[in-house]
Amino acid sequence: MTALRHVLFALAALLLAVLASSDAGAGPVIERVVIVMRHGIRAPLAGEVPEGTRTGAPWPQWPVAESRITPHGVRALDIAAAGDRALLARQGLVAGAGCPAVGTVRIRTNSSARTIASGVAYAKGFARGCELKVEHRPLDEVDPIFEPLRARATRFDARAAVAAINQETGGVAALVGRHRAALDLLDGVLGCAPRRDGCLPVAAPGLMPSVDGHDLVLTGPIRSASGIAQVLLLQYAEGLDLMQVGWGRVDAAALQRLGALHAALFAVFTHPPYMAAHQAAVLGREVLQSVTDPAGPRVDVLMGHDTNVTALAAALRIELRAPGYATDDVPPGGALIVERLRDPVSGKLFVRVYYRTQRPETLRKLGTAVTLRPLRIPGCGAILCPAPRFAALLRRQLAPLVDPALRSPN
């Protein structure tokens, strides 16, 4: 089995290298890669299934405490990291075996237990047997890269945000209406009885500033359903018995339809231009700094959350589509990969962006197959975007920082 896995890694790396080089031809050479990634498969968060949700049977038990990365999730990240290492080695960014040279690879995570554990799992899979440092702030200390609103990194105006979101979505009630079929599907999966008012907690759709004015409060069916839809996907990706995944009432196709309910959360919190500007304000600048810094690492991994991936995508004005998932529903381990390339003849620099995911069944079975989709940045005209143009487009979408020096410490 080990030998077979090595063969599969080699084949996957070869395929990805071909895909990664197809747009650049024999010209531009990859010099730098930044990977903005969601953490691995975890147990449900506290409150992810809202209090008052009704079901026809108890929820299945998880092998770890709430919000923690599972052993299955650790193995999935290990596999993903080994695949990334093989691809990057074929591109000449790192050696194919052994410990990476000092300073060539940097892994930074948010300060939550699940992101730190994900960073450690990724580091072990990327450089097995090596002491590859994982950088992060003290546990649960707010990091502005990954949680800019909590860090008050920008002059976020919650009232302006509500107005911008309502303009983008047509209002929360309209958002609920667009997802009515998926909400009805979720009611059937939950199987509560009797179903006079449905299975979700009864609350009117609403969106308002938080009490302190530095965040938003979303109420209603989308708020309730989004977390439940994610829990069902996590059950499947974790490899729970199929009779425990949605009590045996969902399959992969149904999970994809339900995933639109989870993605609807990002239609509020990260996708509208105002929200993207603030949610990606520090992260976007970190990506630009890493891509352009001549003394920086060749591979820079930023391990955060789905909100980070979707916010950066929104700032770049791109949709995230991948087989097996609803649009903009970032799976565990899903990542945006930003490459810097140089034309060896002209010396001109370019940027290329990929969306890297694994299908739900691949995560479930701990497989090695990946989907690597090149993304066209609006305003660039081609997959290869001139680096100055890319930087100007991204900077234009980022809100000013309260403190321009805001960074995560090494």
Side-chain angles (χ1 to χ4, degrees), residues 47-70:
E48 197 160 32
V49 174
E51 188 174 342
T53 299
R54 294 182 290 180
T55 64
W59 288 94
Q61 296 296 309
W62 285 75
V64 294
E66 62 186 28
S67 83
R68 298 304 175 100
I69 300 299
T70 66

Side-chain angles (χ1 to χ4, degrees), residues 179 182 222 229 255-265 325-327 329:
H179 291 283
I222 295 298
L255 285 172
Q256 183 171 353
R257 294 196 298 274
L258 291 170
L261 295 173
H262 188 237
L265 204 63
Y325 302 99
T327 300
D329 189 20

Side-chain angles (χ1 to χ4, degrees), residues 223-263:
R223 173 79 269 182
S224 299
S226 61
I228 298 172
Q230 180 65 180
V231 169
L232 296 173
L233 174 64
L234 290 169
Q235 290 176 351
Y236 186 85
E238 171 67 8
L240 297 186
D241 184 279
L242 288 175
M243 292 308 296
Q244 291 185 299
V245 178
W247 301 277
R249 291 190 281 268
V250 293
D251 56 15
L255 285 172
Q256 183 171 353
R257 294 196 298 274
L258 291 170
L261 295 173
H262 188 237

Side-chain angles (χ1 to χ4, degrees), residues 269-347:
F269 286 99
T270 61
H271 189 269
Y274 186 89
M275 296 302 297
H278 290 267
Q279 295 277 37
V282 187
L283 174 64
R285 288 175 171 87
E286 285 290 321
V287 170
L288 288 173
Q289 172 69 18
S290 185
V291 166
T292 58
D293 184 0
R298 290 186 172 187
V299 180
D300 197 356
V301 179
L302 295 165
M303 183 71 73
H305 309 270
D306 44 14
T307 50
N308 302 129
V309 180
T310 57
L312 180 60
L316 292 171
R317 297 183 297 152
I318 52 180
E319 286 188 331
L320 299 175
R321 298 179 181 270
Y325 302 99
T327 300
D328 294 328
D329 189 20
V330 180
L336 281 173
I337 300 177
V338 183
E339 299 176 339
R340 187 189 78 194
L341 307 93
R342 182 183 298 275
D343 187 303
V345 177
S346 67

